Amino acid sequence: MREELNAMLPHELKDFMQSNGIAGFRGAQLFTHFHKHQNQSIDSVKGFSASLVEELRQLEAPIGQAEILERIQSPSGDTIKYGIRLTDGQMVEAISMIYKSHNTLCLSTQVGCRMGCAFCASTKNGLARNITAGEIVSQFYAAERDLGTPIQNIVLMGIGEPFDNYDEVMRALELLHDPQGRGMSYRNMTISTCGIVPGILRLAKENKPMNLAISLHATSDEERKKIMPIANTYSIREIVQACDTYFEETGRRVTYEYTVIPGVNNKSSDVDHLKQIFSGRNAHINLIAYHPIKEYEKSHPNEEQLHAFQKALEKKGLTATVRRSMGLGEDGACGQLRAKMNRKGEEA
Ligand code: SF4
């Protein structure tokens, strides 16, 4: 039995109610309260008497919380970055990306990260803790309430490595998928990993047709080891083979995220390596502009450099796109806003 009330599926809430002497159908009402009406408290629950609410409160079951404390909007208005406070006061980030046809939300799955990627601000102080399923869904609901319009897609590309918090992440996605709540299709969910092979293979067996994205960022194991410690554990070959399995099991094409760092990974030899890795594979390469952080002082690629690399890949017969710029300036890099808010907290 799970502890957080807003991390229980309908049948678990039913069991929870019954085991506490409350009618089982109240479980479905409570699930709707959390996941359709997007509440984070039980101060009042539609259909519950005040005495029933009090009875529930007496059980002291926790509810995963996420509250937006800071909101930074890009000048064009189509990207909003949120600083979000979790149940125990820890800070994380989420980003809404507003497109003409849909909205996408990028969510965090851990407070900090222990993967140690050189270019990433989120990992600089290591991992503080995992984010619970109740907190992950609450991030989503908080952002959706803020936007005032539905969010169609989720990408787990914020702070943390989702496969390092596999069970809570999967639970959160099940909650968002449940037809009695938000009813989001698994096809609109993307999990992004730095390349944890057992996680990829486990997800392939889940029978949940989610999208998988791999943070690749280098084209040889030697270069990858310089910027991503996980490369010491899993080679590019092992990762790509696991992705082949994922594609065979789910029919979902895998996306490879590639942060373009000028002079580091946009050389013509990188184009050749990518050709070797992906030719004959149904893969999509998504190019992302590197956002400088002070611990890794490389330059930010300009549009010309990004598109030149994209064209070079296309010339080799590979499918590559350039991700839209966030337009968030110095707070754009993942983990920057959290670091800034933590500093503010320390100074206060
Ligand atoms: S890029 Fe992702 S996996 Fe790597 S340290 Fe940052 S949050 Fe962790």
Side-chain angles (χ1 to χ4, degrees), residues 113 115-117 119-120 122-123 158-161 194:
C113 184
M115 294 298 141
C117 302
F119 48 82
C120 177
S122 300
T123 194
I159 297 171
E161 161 55 54
C194 64

Side-chain angles (χ1 to χ4, degrees), residues 42-81:
I42 50 163
D43 291 344
S44 70
V45 182
K46 202 171 168 206
F48 280 31
S49 64
S51 62
L52 182 54
V53 166
E54 190 46 40
E55 203 177 325
L56 197 54
R57 200 190 308 282
Q58 294 295 325
L59 299 175
E60 293 184 349
I63 300 169
Q65 304 286 317
E67 185 193 352
I68 295 174
L69 282 200
E70 181 114 8
R71 187 182 192 280
I72 299 172
Q73 190 151 6
S74 64
S76 57
D78 51 12
T79 308
I80 304 165
K81 187 163 192 167

Side-chain angles (χ1 to χ4, degrees), residues 109-110 112-124 156-162 192-196 215 217 227-230 259 334-335:
T109 54
Q110 295 183 298
C113 184
R114 60 188 180 125
M115 294 298 141
C117 302
F119 48 82
C120 177
S122 300
T123 194
K124 296 307 166 199
L156 300 185
M157 261 177 218
I159 297 171
E161 161 55 54
S192 175
T193 174
C194 64
I196 309 234
S215 298
H217 311 317
I227 54 173
M228 300 180 74
I230 193 71
T259 297
C334 170

